[in-house]
Structures are given as structure tokens and as C-alpha cells.
Amino acid sequence: MNDTDFLAQAMRYQDGVLTPDEVLAFETAMRDDPVKRQLFADMQVRSMALHDRFRQEAFRIEPGPKRRTTWITRPIAAMAAGLVIGLFSASIVWAISSPKATTERLFSLLNGSFDENRLEHGFPHQAGFWSGDEAAIRDGQLRFIAPGSDSGDPTGRAISCDVFQLVDLRPLRHALSPEGDSVLELSADFRDGRAPNTRPSVSFFGQLYLFSGDPGSLHQTWPQSIPEALASGSAQVTTLGSDAKGVRTLTAKCLIPAQADFAVIQIAARPNLRPAKLDGLSADNVKLTLKTQPTLPVRIVQR
């Protein structure tokens, strides 16, 4: 593929919309061509710098006793996750997994197939349970019902239906690669069951944040604590009702820092015009995959 096609594929790779065959072709082109690796690296750094402005605006608090309304926090976090957070740490790290050098270890989120009906309200206080905005588990699927606001941000507006699970990563430490990098991968299936070309459009999100410390206290500061994440990954897709593509599978990836204690898994549906009902929107087959690879074909560390 030429440079223009490669850059177009790189943007689709970021959005998580490439097919498995396209991902393999993209990563093969990256591995075999140092010029393409550098193009991709430069694209990531520029994207992070661009989204920096969105992040600063989303999480800025004005001085004085009156707090500035930050209703844009959630959409900005959804847009910039995986691009912005690393920009403010000691280094920027980007890596692409190589299929030839990867071993996989699947482990399930509790009720990742939604075959149990337990679903709590609000941001979770403990690991192992789905909890979030108004949603329901029906016929083995999570059905999004209505957007909700964050309890930790009383000035925020309800713009998306978000469901979370906290996952304890400490038992995985013995499985992390001692010779290279380990990648945590979140995947989930999303379905827009509305009639074709139904408006407004809906954006589905799969997001992954890694933190150190006590997961039981994170609900007190979410979503303001997002910039404190050690690493993150995000994928999204926008739909207008059902179409020939059917179920959309989103995959979010991030490197696992050695000090990561737990992960926040977030799946969400956001109508792009409010108010709007979320009838016919669902998620299923939520999985985590630990991938360890001794060598990654692309690695950038700077700052």
C-alpha cells in the first residue's frame, strides 16, 4: 500500500474498525517497512498533541469557590482516551503487537457474557460486578436504556449510557512477560438494532483504563481521576441503525505498566443528539486478553 493508503488504514486502526485480515496486513506493512513505522509513530505523537487541548479544557477547574461546569468531560474522555494520558507522564510509549511473537491468555470479566442478571447502579465500589447508568440484562445481552450523569461530577450532564467493571490485575503479574511488553486487550460486541438509517446516530465505546492503588476509592473521584491513569486504550464506532455489517466488534489495547493494580472496563452507548432514546442498543461478549510478546516492531519512548 502507498503512504496515503497506509495513513488512511492507520486512522481506521486507531478507531478499531479494521477487519482481522486488514489488521494483519497493516501490521505486516509496519513490520516490513521502517518508513511506515516512522509515519505511524509521527502520526501518534501529533494526535496526542492535538488532543492535549481537549483534555486541558475537559478537566480544568476554575479558581475560586464556584466550580466551572464541565459537562463536556465524558465525550472528551471518550474521544481522547489512549492518545492524551501518556503525554503528561514521564514518557510516551506506543507499541504494535506482532502476531508472530504473541502468546495469548484469555481471562473473563465476571459475567462478561451477561448470563447473570446482577447489575448495580452508579460507578462500581468493588471489583467483579457490572455497574453504571440505567441498563438491563436481557436474553444474555446488556441493553442500554438511558444516559446518566456521574455521581462524582454533580454539575455534569447525562450524555451517554456507561457501564463499568473494576478488574483486579494483581493476580496476573506472574503471567507478564519478563523479557518484553505485555498488552491488555478489551473486546466487546455492539449491536444497533434500530431500523436502517435511524437518526440520531449512536456512538459505541469500549474503553480501558489502568490504575494503581485502591480500586474501592476510585468512585469518589471518577471521572476527574481519568488523567491519573497509568495507561489507557479506546475504540469507538458510530452507527445509524442496523446495516449489512451487523454486530460491530470493538477492540481497545494498552500496555500494562508493572505498577498497575486494577483496570476500569467501560462500555458505553452515546446518542449524538439529545435527548434521545436508546431502544435497540446492546452489548455482549465482553472479554479481556493478556498478550505477552518478547519484541514489538514499533516502540517510541521520548520526553
Side-chain angles (χ1 to χ4, degrees), residues 74-280:
R74 286 169 109 180
I76 292 301
M79 254 192 327
L83 294 175
V84 172
I85 292 173
L87 191 62
F88 296 88
S89 61
S91 63
I92 299 172
V93 179
W94 179 263
I96 301 299
S97 63
S98 171
K100 294 182 179 179
T102 298
T103 59
E104 298 185 1
R105 178 188 177 115
L106 287 172
F107 61 101
S108 298
L109 287 79
L110 186 66
N111 201 21
S113 58
F114 300 106
D115 52 3
E116 299 175 7
N117 290 325
R118 178 169 181 174
L119 185 63
E120 300 180 351
H121 183 70
F123 192 85
H125 292 208
Q126 58 180 322
F129 300 101
W130 290 111
S131 184
D133 297 330
E134 187 176 357
I137 297 176
R138 298 173 186 160
D139 301 323
Q141 295 182 335
L142 177 74
R143 305 294 179 94
F144 299 101
I145 296 178
S149 58
D150 293 299
S151 59
D153 185 9
T155 63
R157 294 174 59 185
I159 63 170
S160 63
C161 183
D162 299 271
V163 180
F164 306 89
Q165 187 171 147
L166 300 177
V167 179
D168 189 352
L169 298 179
R170 290 169 293 184
L172 296 177
R173 285 177 177 163
H174 71 281
L176 300 182
S177 172
E179 299 178 356
D181 296 295
S182 298
V183 174
L184 193 62
E185 183 174 294
L186 167 70
S187 65
D189 294 342
F190 293 89
R191 181 185 295 275
D192 187 342
R194 303 174 299 166
N197 298 316
T198 298
R199 295 185 181 277
S201 63
V202 171
S203 293
F204 292 108
F205 297 92
Q207 301 187 132
L208 177 65
Y209 303 93
L210 306 188
F211 292 88
S212 62
D214 177 19
S217 61
L218 190 63
H219 68 279
Q220 300 172 2
T221 57
W222 185 270
Q224 287 79 9
S225 52
I226 288 177
E228 300 172 8
L230 301 174
S232 69
S234 179
Q236 72 178 79
V237 66
T238 299
T239 60
L240 281 166
S242 59
D243 56 27
K245 294 184 178 180
V247 172
R248 309 297 184 93
T249 300
L250 296 183
T251 302
K253 306 176 183 180
C254 67
L255 296 175
I256 307 178
Q259 64 270 38
D261 294 318
F262 67 96
V264 176
I265 306 304
Q266 179 180 8
I267 56 176
R270 185 187 72 194
N272 295 316
L273 179 66
R274 291 166 287 278
K277 294 182 178 180
L278 300 182
D279 297 338

Side-chain angles (χ1 to χ4, degrees), residues 7-19 23 40 43-44 47 51 78-79 81 83 94 204-206 234-238 248-253:
L7 290 174
Q9 289 293 82
M11 289 186 285
R12 296 183 66 223
Y13 184 93
Q14 284 182 335
D15 293 338
V17 297
L18 294 181
T19 67
V23 171
F40 185 74
M43 180 180 175
Q44 298 310 302
S47 295
H51 285 285
M79 254 192 327
L83 294 175
W94 179 263
F204 292 108
F205 297 92
S234 179
Q236 72 178 79
V237 66
T238 299
R248 309 297 184 93
T249 300
L250 296 183
T251 302
K253 306 176 183 180

